[in-house]
Each structure stands twice: as structure tokens, then as C-alpha cells.
Amino acid sequence: MPGLEDLYREIILDHYKNPRNEGIFPTPPALKAEGHNPLCGDELTVYLLLEGDVIKDIRITGQGCSISRSSASLMSVAVKGKTLQEVDRLLKIFKSMMSISTNSSGEAEVVDPVEYSERELGELIALQGVVKFPVRIKCATLSWNTLVQALEDRAS
Amino acid sequence: MPGLEDLYREIILDHYKNPRNEGIFPTPPALKAEGHNPLCGDELTVYLLLEGDVIKDIRITGQGCSISRSSASLMSVAVKGKTLQEVDRLLKIFKSMMSISTNSSGEAEVVDPVEYSERELGELIALQGVVKFPVRIKCATLSWNTLVQALEDRAS
Amino acid sequence: MERMNTLGVKTRPLIVSEIRKDFPIFNQHDGKKLFFLDSAASSQKPVQVLQAMDHYYSTTHANVHRGVYHIAEHATELYEGARATIGRFVGAPNPSRETIFTKNATESINLLSNSLTRGTLKKGDVVVLTEMEHHANLVPWLMAKEQFGIEIRYIMVDENGYLDLQNIDELLQNAKILSVSLTSNVLGTINPIRRLADLAHEHGAIAIGDGAQYVPHLSTNVTDLGLDFLAFTGHKMLGPTGIGVLWGKSELLESLPPFMGGGDMITDVRLDGFTPNELPWKFEAGTPPIAEAIGLAAAVDYLENLGMDAIRDHELELLSYAFESLESNFGKDLVIHGPRNVNDRGGVISFDFKNIHPHDISQVLDQSGVCVRAGHHCAKPLMRHLGIAATARASFHIYNDRSDVDALVDALAKARAFFG
Amino acid sequence: MERMNTLGVKTRPLIVSEIRKDFPIFNQHDGKKLFFLDSAASSQKPVQVLQAMDHYYSTTHANVHRGVYHIAEHATELYEGARATIGRFVGAPNPSRETIFTKNATESINLLSNSLTRGTLKKGDVVVLTEMEHHANLVPWLMAKEQFGIEIRYIMVDENGYLDLQNIDELLQNAKILSVSLTSNVLGTINPIRRLADLAHEHGAIAIGDGAQYVPHLSTNVTDLGLDFLAFTGHKMLGPTGIGVLWGKSELLESLPPFMGGGDMITDVRLDGFTPNELPWKFEAGTPPIAEAIGLAAAVDYLENLGMDAIRDHELELLSYAFESLESNFGKDLVIHGPRNVNDRGGVISFDFKNIHPHDISQVLDQSGVCVRAGHHCAKPLMRHLGIAATARASFHIYNDRSDVDALVDALAKARAFFG
Ligand SMILES: Cc1ncc(COP(=O)(O)O)c(C=O)c1O
Ligand SMILES: Cc1ncc(COP(=O)(O)O)c(C=O)c1O
């Protein structure tokens, strides 16, 4: 059985206790999407300020466990100032890192494995250990899925 | 395991191969009731000619297994010429003979045990062995239940 | 050794060390002790239950009700015998006719919501539920509302975790159905079901009990409880998965149309229609959970052998110990939901702990072999009422003792140190 | 040793003496051999299936989908893994989303009749069935007819036991649904399901297959069969009781409203409504048959290990032997219902014997340890068509061989002597 330290890295606990980019933005101009994990009741709202195809700023509110909160915080840092293309690449890398053969719900979420360097991931790599705890993968991916939703809502 | 000879007594095979009182009566004046055993598809029709409270004559048609056919034939002989009171007594005795703690369908058909002499039963005693084959009890009682129904329909 | 329970009845105390020997899951040789505190989600199974099913499959399996040959006959006897055993266990006046096997408590309630709505209810008719119901006793009625336009009213929950019965007469005005859990799976509250059923009857409503959390733990008698229907589930009472039960009064069951159609539930089928079978088969379409019924009957035997009063005493004793222990160790850091008086509770403790998310609590506890559930416990409306998204929940059954509570306390102390 | 089957595929012949060692029921030490010829009603179970369930209960049992602790997580993996295994077994393109666990095939079809009628059908819409259906594929539609006023049309059966397709285009006019058994449980007829499904689609109708008697015996691929939905049942394919399966195309499943309401099938519940969950959980309300799913996956592994083509070859060989043997021994005294060509049949032989009532046949055979079913086989409309109330039926599975057929013939000879 993997140990707690695989899951709760120091960076994670830090982002959990001191979440970055917490708060809200008025909409408009901000884009907004709400995500929730029906199994555990976690709820997140993501606000995005775009400038052209750059995420100029981001705010996140909600409630959730240490993994979902810290993942949201880590994501906010990772995507801030990035172009949408760069964000898309990060998303693919992150999902690839989170993918296992069957996740706990047995969903065959087909994730294309992506080649990436640790450098590209930056602090996000702290979440790598989550894969060993399949139930928690949904916690780690909630904020990313909500981000995607905010961007998709804009597209439509 | 009880043997076949417990079930298929000679009298039974005789009544099966040569059913007594087979046929129909016009209704009216005859009373009539149809009975069927949903589990095996057996069907019986009983016709009664009453005179006052005496069963003057009886006819039975239908299809069924050796137990249900011979039981019907044996019943027809047993009740013919009897008063309704006498028939009621026979019915009680017969049901008592057929009663076991749980029948195959687990029905808790509460049957009051009745004291009776073998003489009272007459040839009907040939069906005693059926009790050892719980699935077949319904076959043996089908004709009796249909008889009761014919008499009840008259009452109402 | 005997002792008196709250009712003054002598009970034989449970010897947990002996009981645990009957449960294979506690005797795995990986060197780690399992502190299983999630029986409210599903209980573990004693070897007697597993053996009853294996023995059935290994000697007697055949489809029931239609076979003349001896193993089919014997299978039918075992299946119908299980029905009688389980019906008697909840005090059914006519166990063989009134006890219906389903796949879980959820199906039992869906059967009712479906058959009652089609059979009895009209648009605008009122169904009364409570705010503390499990989704199993909410969604079926919400679906009936969508489909048939019935009205649903709720008995609210007060700040101590009890049902607020101040406006009960108003709520029951024109009600046709009252459906209430006997024990809440979150708050632990044991509801005053007899009083509620009597009130329902005074208003001409039918009284349905969701006994999923009650029947496994307390001596149950449907007549004493004043119920018309009682739903419960096998896997929470030492029985296998795949089986639930609905008990109902014969007259009512007879008046209802069938729920599902298929083999066994008919007396005749024609190309243009069908005639339903007698009770209880009218409500059992297709091949039933035969081995599961036999397993559940073995579970009932096991429970009865210990004695339901002794089981209740044991759980009360554990509950008291847990309350004291959690309080003295964590004080205000730990908030227990539901009634303070353990006598009003089943063996279920939902709690908040120091703003640590229940998922994280459960994860850290798991590392010490302590299994607790974290989440909304299929009671989202109640969660909203409590103003939270999730709780951690520890729950007991016969194989738990003080060592489980001690392990819980130790593991919680670790979690506090970790996230504190 | 390998041989070629009808498709020119090499298969490894079954070694029945070895297979029987895996089935505890054939290894009882009461000195009597069991000739079990009633697998069409329910099959026996190999020890691998019983052990898979026991192992689960003894090491990993916990309720699925909501637990964070490791045994709950592992239980969820096993349960969802079983889903994938079973979905793949019938060639589901997306096994994890499209495979729904029910309690039996009957529930699978009720789910469809209920959700399709509420979701898609209007009064007067046409459902096409056949005269040879099992009650499981008749009564649910008759109930929908009662409730919603749909129209039901039937494909008739010809004198050789095949579906009469002369007027099929007429029957399918304006049809919304076609629901047909892949193999008849009485006649043994294997229906031309691909052709029927294609015709249904041409008329804009949905094609549902009742695979209860097909999936356990023949290699199944839902795409090749052209189906939209397929129902089947665990206990007829070496699996436990208490579990059935519904496979359906994702798009269709997504468009349907849920059948039963409760835990797990929702993403949110409010006092005034609810939001259904994603596939497949949307159709699984309450605690599912967890151990049963795991047992059924073990049964599928067992079948796949033998190879479905080898199993079919074995049954064809037995069928031919039985046809010859019955004919040469009893001539015109014994009439077999259904197609004469064994290639068009599953391993099911219903017969009339010398005016001896099937009950009596079955009783006498039982005395020789030969188990056959007697009755209407839950197909009363077909029985009416055949002009009889009941038949005796012998049916095969992997543990049967020629010695079973020989025992059947010997016992029938005894019955003839007895009643002759
Ligand atoms: C063709 C057919 N369909 C459906 C069923 C129903 O299966 P179950 O009783 O497991 O629901 C059966 C078996 O009885 C069958 O033979
Ligand atoms: C109060 C209550 N009712 C109903 C249920 C549903 O039981 P099942 O999931 O076995 O149908 C549960 C358990 O989850 C429960 O706690």
C-alpha cells in the first residue's frame, strides 16, 4: 500500500493551507464555470480573465478536500499568463500523468499518453502520487475539467 | 428419497387410464367451475348436478398429469350421491391428509388437522403418498378446489 | 453472564473476540488489523452466510417454482423457507405471503412508489417524506412527482437532529402516503415511527418505513411499529449483496398492481394480456435471488442467535464509549451530528473534525487500517440542511468493540497532527 | 487435439470429465450420479465462481463507489472490472459505459419497456414481439400497453418452429421497437437476429435482443448481431443468481430516463428534484449486486477459457447425438418441438412422449437422477400455439455429455413401461 507521503507532498499541503488565486471576478468580463464531484460533494468555481488568447488572471472559490483544493491552486499558478495553446498542452500532460488503466469508477476515460519533461510540469508534479489512490484522481482533475468547461462555454 | 410406488399406486394409475365421470353437462341446470394450475398449465372443468343439497351427478373434463386426473376421477366417485355436508367433511379430511408444514411453494395454507378414519377416505387414501412429493400436492388438490369453487359460485 | 438492558430484559453480552472469528475478513493473515467502521454502508459477512450459499450451490441449485425433480423441489423449499424466516424476523403476521424479495432496499421503495402511484395516487395527491431521508426514499418519489404530478411535503429536521413534528398535522393534511426512515444513516436518529404511523393512519395515509439502518440492529416487529410497509436490505445485516426485502400488509399488497412483469409473477399470459399471480410471487418477476435469500436467512439466524436485544445493548455501550472518548480527546475540535442522547440513536456517528475534509480524514485513517466513510452518504438534502458538503461517518456492528473506537481516536489524532 | 467447427475455426474439444470436476454439485458423495438436463432453467456453477465470490467477501467486501479506504476502493475496482469483462464478452464497443447490471434478464427488459415507453413511445406506437417469447419479453410490454396504450404485434411461428417472416414488413410498419429472443427457450430455435435487426432499423425501429438462452452458449457480438440492446442473465451462464445484464448503445442509453431512483444513480438530489448520473450508473439505483458481478465475471472467464466456439461445437455434437438416440429408441412415440436442423438450434430439446404428461415424465426421470423441466416454460402463448399445456424439456451445458443423453433414454424407456 502506498504511504500518505506519496499523496500529501509538502507542496500540496502548502497550497491547501495557503491557496493561491482564491476569490472571484465579476462576470463579465470574466468567464466562469462551476464544477462538482457528485460522489463527494466537492464544488469549485473557476473565473478567467482572458486577453486575446492569454489567461491574464484567474480566481477560484469552492470547497473540497486537500487534493482538489491544492490541485486548483497549483493549476491557477500554472496557467496564469499562459496562452490557450500552452494551457492545452499542460492539460494534456496533466491528464496523461493522472491516467491509469482503470480509474476507481472503472471509467475508460481514454487519455492519450503524452511525452513530457518534468520541467514542463513544474510544481504540478507534486500531484503525481495521486495516481496511486485512484479514488482521489477525480479530486485532482476537478479544477482542470472546470477550467476546460469555462473555455468551452466561451467558444459556444 | 421416497420411491415411485409411493406416488403412483395402482388405484391411481387405474383412475388415470380409465377416468370415471368424464364429460360435460349442459349449464344450466349444471353448476360449472374451471380450475387451473398456473405452474404446470393443468386445466380442469367440473360440472355438478345438485338436487337439494345432494350432488346427484358430476362430470369432469380437462387435461393434466396422472395425479391431477386420477385425483379428479377419485373425487368424482367419492362425492357423487353425497350431501353437501358430507362433501364438506370429505374435503376437510382430504386437505388435512394433503397438508404438510410447508408445501413446495412455501404457502402457509393453514389447514386444520382433522381426525378421521381410513374408512371415511375410501379409495382416496391412494393419494396419501403425494404428500411426500410436495410439488405434486397442487395436482392432487386442483379438482377439490375447483369443486369448492363451483359450489361457491352457486352460493353467490 | 447476563445483564439487563434498558427494557429490563436480560441479554447475553456479545463476545466480540469470538464473533470476529466467524468473519473471514478479520482473519486475513497480512498482519494488519482491520478496524471496520463502515457497516452502515455495508456490513461484513460471517462464514455461516458464505457457507449456506456455497452449500446451496454445491448441492441443491436449480431454478425454483417450476421443477418437479428433487433438487428443484428442494431449492424451492429452501427459497420459500428463507422467505418465512426473514418475514418472521420482522414480525410479519403472514411471513410467507407478505415478504417480497427484491434486489435491495432501493428496489423495495421503487416498487412501492411505482405500484402505489399507478394503483392509488392521482395528480395532486400528497406524499410526506422527511428532510433526512436517504436518496433511496427520495428519488423514487421525485420520479413519481415528475411522472404523475403528485405533491411531496417534507418533515424538517431540528437543530438537534430530530424530526420537527410541530406542524405534522398540517403536513399530513390530505396525505396519502408517509414514508420515513426508521434510523437515519447520517444522524443516527431513531425516529418515533409508531407515533408517525399512527398519525398517518389518522389522516388516512399509508405508513411506509425505510428500515435499511434499523432492521440490522434493533429487534423489529412491523405490527408494533404500526407500519403498512417496511423496506430493508440484505447486505447491511450480514447478508449477501443482491437482495432486499419488502414487507407489506396482505390487503394492501393485494390491491396493488405488479411492478415488473415476467416469469413467475403471472398465472396466465395471452398475446393480449396477462393475469397476475398470487402473493408474494406477483411482485417477483423472473428468477429471484435464490442463493441470496438463503444467505440472508442464514444471516438472520446468526443475528437471532446472538439476540437482537443483546446486539442493541452492545451498540449502545459502544456508542456511549465512543461519545465519551471522542469528546475527551478532541473537545470542540470534533462535532458529532445528530442527537446527544445515545438512546435515541443507531450505531452511526457522523462528524466534522477541525475543518479537515472528510476525504482527507478517511484517507489518513485508512493508513491506520481504520475504515470510515466520507461523503454525502446519499442524503444530499440533509447535507444542505447541515450546511456542509460531506461528513466522515463511523458506524458499528456486532464485530466492533472498544478497540475500534480507540483506533479511530488514535488515527484522528494523527490526522490532526498532519493537517493541523 | 483440435478440430474444425462449422465455421472452419479450430476449437479445442471440451473434456467433460475434467469440467465436471470443477462443479461441486456433480461431486457429491451420495453415490448417485446426477444427470442435470435443466440448464436452460438455470445452470450449475463451477467452484471458480463460488471461490471468486467467497474470496471477495473474505478479503475485500465494502460498499462500492463512495469509499476512500482501500478495501472500498478495491471493491469498486473489482465491481467495475467485472462490468468491463462482461461487456467485452458480448462485444460491447464501450463496455464500461454501456453494460448495466440488473438482477436478472427480466429486470433488464422491464428497464427497457419502462424507460422506452416513458421516454420515447406514445399511445398507438407499435412494439413488435414474437409468439415464441418468454414471459420476460411479453409481460413488460403488455404492462406498457395497459399503462400507455401502445400497440403490440406478433411475428408468428410456423409449423417447423421458425419465425414466419412473410409479413414482416407489414408488421414493422410504424414500429418503434422490435424485441426478439435470440434463442427460444422452448423450441431451441436460433432466430435470424441480424436480419431482423436490420429490418427493424430500415423501418426506424429499435432492435432489442433477449439473449438469456443465447449468450451462455454462443459467441456473442452485439455489433455483429446489429442490436441496439441486449438482455441476458447470470444464473444461466455459470454465474450466480441475483444478477442480470443489459447492454445498450450509449446514445440510446443516454437518451432514456432512469428506471429506478435512489443512491448512485444521481449527481444531485434536491427536495424538489434530482439530476441523473452518467452512464452506466444512471440505471443502477442502490447498492448493486457486487459479489454477483464478480462471480459472473469469473463465470465469463471460465467460459472464455473453454472457448465459446468449442462450447457451441460440443452442444451441436450432443444435440445430434440426442436427436438420433431419441429417434432410434422411440420413433414416433416421441415428438421433438422446433427445427429439425440442429444447426438452427440451441441446446434445448422440448418433447412430447406418448401422451404421458410432462409432470409424470419428469417425476419418473427424477427417480433415475435425470433432471428435466416440465411445464409451460414461461411461454404460455407459444404453448397455446403448439396446442399443448406443457412439455418436458432437456437442455445442455458444458458439463453434459453422451452419458446424460443415454440416461435420459433409459429413464424414458422406464416411464413408457410404467404408464404405457
Ligand atoms: C428466453 C428467456 N428470456 C428471459 C428469461 C428470464 O431470465 P431471468 O428469469 O433470469 O430473468 C429466460 C429464463 O427464464 C429465458 O429463457
Ligand atoms: C436509510 C437507508 N435507506 C436505504 C438505503 C439503500 O439501501 P440499498 O443501497 O441496499 O438499496 C440505505 C443504504 O444505503 C440507507 O442507509
Side-chain angles (χ1 to χ4, degrees):
Chain A
M1 192 162 67
L4 279 186
E5 54 297 340
D6 289 318
L7 187 63
Y8 297 120
R9 302 278 181 78
E10 227 167 87
I11 302 180
I12 292 181
L13 290 176
D14 175 38
H15 276 263
Y16 174 47
K17 288 175 192 164
N18 313 295
R20 324 293 202 264
N21 301 304
E22 218 184 356
I24 66 173
F25 279 138
T27 53
L31 302 171
K32 171 187 167 185
E34 290 169 25
H36 64 295
N37 180 341
L39 291 184
C40 61
D42 283 1
E43 290 171 350
L44 272 186
T45 311
V46 171
Y47 299 85
L48 293 179
L49 279 183
L50 289 196
E51 211 174 68
D53 71 343
V54 171
I55 295 186
K56 236 200 97 200
D57 210 347
I58 179 169
R59 289 287 180 278
I60 299 178
T61 58
Q63 47 183 329
C65 65
S66 59
I67 301 301
S68 86
R69 299 289 279 135
S70 64
S71 176
S73 173
L74 281 158
M75 176 190 81
S76 72
V77 172
V79 302
K80 195 148 128 185
K82 294 266 172 31
T83 67
L84 295 187
Q85 262 154 307
E86 289 167 328
V87 168
D88 192 52
R89 165 90 186 144
L90 261 185
L91 175 76
K92 288 217 176 74
I93 293 176
F94 187 75
K95 287 258 176 161
S96 175
M97 176 173 85
M98 284 295 144
S99 102
I100 48 162
S101 51
T102 22
N103 76 17
S104 72
S105 319
E107 273 172 309
E109 218 190 326
V110 184
V111 179
D112 297 325
V114 176
E115 299 249 340
Y116 57 88
S117 64
E118 296 213 348
R119 199 187 39 76
E120 278 187 278
L121 267 173
E123 281 200 325
L124 291 174
I125 204 161
L127 288 161
Q128 205 168 28
V130 174
V131 179
K132 297 183 193 154
F133 300 81
V135 190
R136 309 301 294 276
I137 291 175
K138 283 206 164 181
C139 310
T141 52
L142 177 61
S143 52
W144 287 89
N145 291 334
T146 313
L147 175 76
V148 169
Q149 209 183 298
L151 292 169
E152 275 174 1
D153 288 355
R154 157 182 168 265
S156 65
Chain B
M1 193 163 68
L4 279 186
E5 52 298 338
D6 290 318
L7 188 62
Y8 297 120
R9 302 280 181 79
E10 226 167 88
I11 301 179
I12 292 181
L13 290 176
D14 175 39
H15 276 263
Y16 174 48
K17 289 173 191 167
N18 313 294
R20 324 294 201 267
N21 302 304
E22 217 183 357
I24 65 170
F25 279 138
T27 54
L31 303 172
K32 171 186 165 184
E34 289 168 27
H36 64 293
N37 180 340
L39 291 183
C40 60
D42 285 359
E43 290 171 350
L44 271 187
T45 312
V46 171
Y47 299 86
L48 293 179
L49 279 183
L50 289 195
E51 209 173 73
D53 70 342
V54 171
I55 295 185
K56 235 200 98 198
D57 210 346
I58 178 167
R59 289 287 180 279
I60 299 178
T61 57
Q63 45 183 332
C65 65
S66 59
I67 303 302
S68 86
R69 298 290 279 134
S70 65
S71 176
S73 172
L74 281 159
M75 177 190 79
S76 73
V77 172
V79 302
K80 193 148 126 184
K82 294 264 173 32
T83 66
L84 295 187
Q85 261 154 308
E86 288 167 328
V87 168
D88 190 55
R89 165 88 187 147
L90 261 184
L91 174 77
K92 287 214 175 76
I93 292 175
F94 187 75
K95 289 257 175 161
S96 174
M97 177 172 85
M98 284 295 143
S99 101
I100 48 164
S101 50
T102 23
N103 76 16
S104 71
S105 319
E107 276 173 306
E109 217 193 324
V110 184
V111 180
D112 298 323
V114 176
E115 300 249 339
Y116 58 89
S117 63
E118 295 212 347
R119 200 187 40 75
E120 277 186 279
L121 269 172
E123 282 199 325
L124 291 175
I125 203 158
L127 289 162
Q128 205 168 28
V130 175
V131 180
K132 296 184 193 153
F133 300 81
V135 190
R136 308 303 292 276
I137 291 175
K138 281 207 166 180
C139 310
T141 52
L142 177 61
S143 52
W144 288 90
N145 291 334
T146 313
L147 176 77
V148 169
Q149 210 183 300
L151 293 170
E152 274 174 3
D153 288 354
R154 157 180 167 266
S156 65
Chain C
M1 193 176 86
E2 288 179 330
R3 68 178 173 206
M4 297 292 220
N5 72 3
T6 39
L7 303 169
V9 177
K10 281 196 195 117
T11 67
R12 253 179 314 136
L14 306 194
I15 305 168
V16 172
S17 58
E18 288 300 310
I19 289 174
R20 286 175 74 97
K21 286 186 193 150
D22 286 334
F23 288 76
I25 203 162
F26 297 123
N27 301 301
Q28 289 175 273
H29 299 296
D30 62 356
K32 274 197 87 166
K33 199 175 167 201
L34 186 67
F35 302 99
F36 187 76
L37 290 169
D38 193 22
S39 294
S42 196
S43 75
Q44 298 302 338
K45 326 298 173 198
V47 71
Q48 286 83 348
V49 167
L50 306 184
Q51 278 173 356
M53 294 194 287
D54 281 346
H55 185 255
Y56 164 71
Y57 280 129
S58 302
T59 61
T60 328
H61 174 67
N63 213 330
V64 293
H65 292 152
R66 285 177 298 259
V68 175
Y69 57 87
H70 70 283
I71 62 173
E73 196 175 311
H74 193 211
T76 306
E77 270 167 29
L78 289 173
Y79 176 67
E80 294 297 338
R83 189 196 303 284
T85 300
I86 293 157
R88 271 195 301 269
F89 181 62
V90 295
N94 200 337
S96 300
R97 276 172 60 76
E98 299 172 341
T99 313
I100 293 159
F101 287 126
T102 59
K103 71 173 170 187
N104 52 27
T106 303
E107 185 192 336
S108 301
I109 299 173
N110 276 271
L111 188 165
L112 285 177
S113 72
N114 184 295
S115 289
L116 281 168
T117 339
R118 285 191 297 134
T120 322
L121 295 203
K122 296 174 310 295
K123 195 163 154 36
D125 275 349
V126 173
V127 174
V128 178
L129 308 172
T130 88
E131 210 186 354
M132 64 166 79
E133 294 313 305
H134 187 278
H135 293 166
N137 196 25
L138 290 171
V139 184
W141 306 107
L142 290 168
M143 286 171 67
K145 179 177 138 180
E146 250 180 32
Q147 216 189 337
F148 296 102
I150 59 164
E151 184 192 332
I152 302 180
R153 295 185 194 143
Y154 294 93
I155 305 174
M156 294 289 145
V157 174
D158 71 18
E159 66 276 16
N160 300 313
Y162 293 96
L163 291 179
D164 178 353
L165 299 181
Q166 286 184 28
N167 60 341
I168 183 71
D169 277 304
E170 211 173 296
L171 288 173
L172 283 170
Q173 217 62 260
N174 298 319
K176 290 285 191 298
I177 292 170
L178 169 78
S179 189
V180 176
S181 52
L182 275 61
T183 303
S184 159
N185 68 316
V186 179
L187 302 172
T189 319
I190 297 177
N191 289 316
I193 199 70
R194 176 64 199 233
R195 190 172 151 214
L196 286 166
D198 288 349
L199 283 167
H201 291 147
E202 277 168 29
H203 285 83
I206 282 169
I208 300 171
D210 172 357
Q213 297 290 347
Y214 184 94
V215 175
H217 302 271
L218 287 95
S219 169
T220 305
N221 183 294
V222 288
T223 309
D224 294 350
L225 293 170
L227 289 169
D228 298 305
F229 293 103
L230 176 68
F232 55 105
T233 200
H235 66 93
K236 292 190 206 281
M237 51 193 283
L238 316 188
T241 54
I243 188 158
V245 183
L246 176 66
W247 167 83
K249 280 196 182 143
S250 307
E251 317 85 77
L252 289 169
L253 286 173
E254 255 155 26
S255 72
L256 294 183
F259 174 38
M260 292 197 233
D264 255 26
M265 56 66 74
I266 53 90
T267 55
D268 193 22
V269 178
R270 300 164 308 280
L271 291 179
D272 63 351
F274 68 97
T275 316
N277 201 344
E278 289 164 31
L279 293 180
W281 307 292
K282 172 176 157 187
F283 291 103
E284 294 183 358
T287 304
I290 308 170
E292 290 76 4
I294 291 165
L296 183 53
V300 160
D301 287 344
Y302 192 93
L303 289 169
E304 286 193 319
N305 190 35
L306 295 175
M308 293 311 292
D309 289 326
I311 291 172
R312 175 63 181 157
D313 283 349
H314 177 74
E315 286 186 4
L316 276 179
E317 204 266 327
L318 258 187
L319 263 180
S320 303
Y321 180 72
F323 266 61
E324 279 162 31
S325 188
L326 290 169
E327 187 141 309
S328 68
N329 278 281
F330 304 113
K332 291 214 177 336
D333 277 355
L334 190 143
V335 177
I336 295 176
H337 297 286
R340 304 299 311 163
N341 183 344
V342 291
N343 290 303
D344 296 342
R345 304 181 65 113
V348 168
I349 304 182
S350 289
F351 58 91
D352 297 335
F353 186 50
K354 271 218 85 185
N355 276 331
I356 307 176
H357 192 282
H359 261 192
D360 293 315
I361 293 177
S362 177
Q363 192 86 61
V364 176
L365 266 49
D366 184 37
Q367 224 64 19
S368 310
V370 178
C371 307
V372 301
R373 187 111 326 204
H376 55 59
H377 313 298
C378 293
K380 288 201 105 181
L382 177 61
M383 289 289 135
R384 281 208 186 89
H385 165 90
L386 297 172
I388 50 183
T391 77
R393 181 186 71 184
S395 55
F396 305 122
H397 216 309
I398 50 169
Y399 32 69
N400 295 118
D401 62 13
R402 291 182 175 216
S403 72
D404 293 297
V405 175
D406 295 341
L408 173 67
V409 167
D410 288 350
L412 282 173
K414 270 187 212 155
R416 181 166 58 179
F418 204 83
F419 290 101
Chain D
M1 193 175 89
E2 288 180 332
R3 68 178 172 207
M4 297 290 218
N5 72 4
T6 39
L7 302 170
V9 177
K10 281 197 196 121
T11 66
R12 253 181 313 138
L14 306 193
I15 304 168
V16 173
S17 57
E18 288 301 312
I19 290 174
R20 286 175 72 97
K21 286 185 193 149
D22 286 335
F23 288 77
I25 202 162
F26 297 123
N27 300 301
Q28 290 176 272
H29 300 297
D30 62 356
K32 274 197 88 167
K33 196 171 169 207
L34 186 66
F35 302 99
F36 188 76
L37 291 169
D38 194 21
S39 295
S42 196
S43 75
Q44 299 302 338
K45 326 297 172 199
V47 71
Q48 287 83 346
V49 168
L50 305 185
Q51 277 173 357
M53 296 194 286
D54 281 346
H55 185 255
Y56 164 71
Y57 280 130
S58 302
T59 61
T60 328
H61 174 66
N63 214 330
V64 292
H65 293 151
R66 284 177 298 259
V68 175
Y69 57 87
H70 69 282
I71 62 172
E73 196 175 311
H74 193 211
T76 305
E77 271 167 28
L78 289 172
Y79 176 67
E80 294 297 339
R83 188 196 306 283
T85 299
I86 293 157
R88 270 195 301 268
F89 181 63
V90 296
N94 200 337
S96 300
R97 277 171 59 76
E98 299 173 340
T99 313
I100 293 159
F101 287 126
T102 58
K103 71 174 170 186
N104 52 26
T106 303
E107 186 191 335
S108 301
I109 299 173
N110 276 272
L111 188 165
L112 285 177
S113 71
N114 184 295
S115 289
L116 281 168
T117 340
R118 284 191 297 133
T120 322
L121 295 203
K122 297 174 309 296
K123 196 164 155 32
D125 275 348
V126 172
V127 174
V128 177
L129 309 173
T130 89
E131 209 186 355
M132 65 166 79
E133 294 312 305
H134 186 279
H135 293 164
N137 196 25
L138 290 171
V139 184
W141 305 108
L142 290 168
M143 285 170 68
K145 179 176 136 179
E146 251 180 31
Q147 217 191 335
F148 297 102
I150 59 164
E151 185 193 333
I152 302 179
R153 295 186 196 141
Y154 295 93
I155 306 176
M156 293 291 144
V157 174
D158 72 16
E159 66 277 16
N160 300 314
Y162 294 96
L163 290 179
D164 179 352
L165 299 181
Q166 287 185 28
N167 60 341
I168 183 71
D169 277 305
E170 210 173 297
L171 288 173
L172 282 170
Q173 217 60 262
N174 298 319
K176 293 284 190 298
I177 292 171
L178 170 78
S179 188
V180 176
S181 51
L182 275 62
T183 303
S184 158
N185 68 317
V186 178
L187 302 172
T189 320
I190 296 177
N191 290 315
I193 199 69
R194 176 64 201 232
R195 189 172 152 215
L196 286 166
D198 287 349
L199 284 167
H201 291 146
E202 278 168 30
H203 285 84
I206 283 170
I208 301 172
D210 171 358
Q213 297 290 347
Y214 184 95
V215 174
H217 301 271
L218 287 95
S219 170
T220 305
N221 183 295
V222 288
T223 309
D224 294 349
L225 293 170
L227 289 170
D228 298 304
F229 294 102
L230 176 69
F232 55 105
T233 201
H235 67 93
K236 293 191 207 279
M237 50 193 283
L238 316 187
T241 55
I243 188 156
V245 183
L246 176 66
W247 167 83
K249 280 196 182 142
S250 309
E251 318 85 78
L252 288 169
L253 286 173
E254 255 155 25
S255 71
L256 294 183
F259 174 39
M260 293 198 233
D264 255 25
M265 55 67 74
I266 54 90
T267 55
D268 192 23
V269 178
R270 302 163 307 280
L271 291 179
D272 63 351
F274 69 97
T275 317
N277 201 345
E278 288 163 34
L279 292 180
W281 309 290
K282 172 176 155 187
F283 291 103
E284 295 184 355
T287 304
I290 308 169
E292 289 77 5
I294 291 164
L296 183 54
V300 161
D301 287 344
Y302 192 93
L303 289 169
E304 287 193 319
N305 190 37
L306 295 175
M308 293 311 290
D309 289 327
I311 291 172
R312 174 63 180 157
D313 283 348
H314 176 73
E315 286 186 3
L316 275 180
E317 204 264 326
L318 258 187
L319 262 180
S320 303
Y321 180 72
F323 265 63
E324 281 161 31
S325 188
L326 290 169
E327 188 142 309
S328 68
N329 278 280
F330 304 114
K332 293 213 172 343
D333 278 355
L334 190 142
V335 178
I336 295 176
H337 297 286
R340 304 299 310 163
N341 183 344
V342 292
N343 290 304
D344 297 343
R345 305 181 63 115
V348 168
I349 304 181
S350 290
F351 58 91
D352 296 335
F353 186 52
K354 271 218 87 184
N355 274 332
I356 307 176
H357 191 281
H359 260 192
D360 292 315
I361 293 176
S362 176
Q363 190 88 60
V364 175
L365 266 51
D366 184 37
Q367 223 66 18
S368 309
V370 177
C371 306
V372 301
R373 187 114 324 207
H376 55 62
H377 314 298
C378 292
K380 288 201 106 183
L382 178 61
M383 289 289 136
R384 280 207 189 89
H385 165 89
L386 297 172
I388 51 182
T391 77
R393 182 186 70 186
S395 55
F396 305 123
H397 217 309
I398 51 169
Y399 33 68
N400 295 117
D401 62 12
R402 292 181 174 216
S403 72
D404 293 297
V405 175
D406 295 342
L408 172 67
V409 168
D410 289 350
L412 282 173
K414 269 188 213 157
R416 180 165 60 177
F418 204 83
F419 290 102

